[in-house]
Amino acid sequence: MWWGQGNLEVVSSKRLYRVLELPKQLQVSILALLKLGSSSATDVSAVTGKARALESSYLNQLVTLKLVCKEPRVTPLHRGKSIVVFSVVLEALDW
């Protein structure tokens, strides 16, 4: 297992190799998403230090690769507005 406690305990060595096959910018994004769990592009950009629009683009590339799924959620923090939440599909990292 890898990277201490929390959500990242589910990352096996096979999954780590799959992540390492990705381009560097996508590696950073998927590792931040693994650390956070399900979260928005804004939350991921706060961890990576990249602009939210750029992070959203990277996360959408991961969605295209079917490594990440996205779904709209209505949260009380956003006054009932729908936000897009991304989460890693762990089974897709297995090969």
Side-chain angles (χ1 to χ4, degrees), residues 34-64:
L34 281 167
K35 182 179 179 183
L36 293 170
S38 295
S39 58
S40 67
T42 304
D43 298 334
V44 176
S45 69
V47 172
T48 63
K50 300 175 195 166
R52 191 218 53 85
L54 183 61
E55 197 58 60
S56 180
S57 173
Y58 292 157
L59 290 169
N60 282 316
Q61 289 177 40
L62 291 167
V63 169
T64 303

Side-chain angles (χ1 to χ4, degrees), residues 1-73:
M1 297 304 160
W2 186 71
W3 211 347
Q5 302 297 321
N7 293 334
L8 291 179
E9 290 181 0
V10 295
V11 178
S12 67
S13 59
K14 285 199 309 189
R15 291 176 179 167
L16 178 60
Y17 288 123
R18 177 68 174 113
V19 170
L20 291 174
E21 290 176 342
L22 297 171
K24 182 69 174 176
Q25 67 272 16
L26 298 183
Q27 288 179 20
V28 173
S29 297
I30 199 167
L31 289 175
L33 192 56
L34 281 167
K35 182 179 179 183
L36 293 170
S38 295
S39 58
S40 67
T42 304
D43 298 334
V44 176
S45 69
V47 172
T48 63
K50 300 175 195 166
R52 191 218 53 85
L54 183 61
E55 197 58 60
S56 180
S57 173
Y58 292 157
L59 290 169
N60 282 316
Q61 289 177 40
L62 291 167
V63 169
T64 303
L65 293 171
K66 298 184 180 179
L67 297 175
V68 170
C69 68
K70 72 177 184 178
E71 60 184 82
R73 283 198 192 153

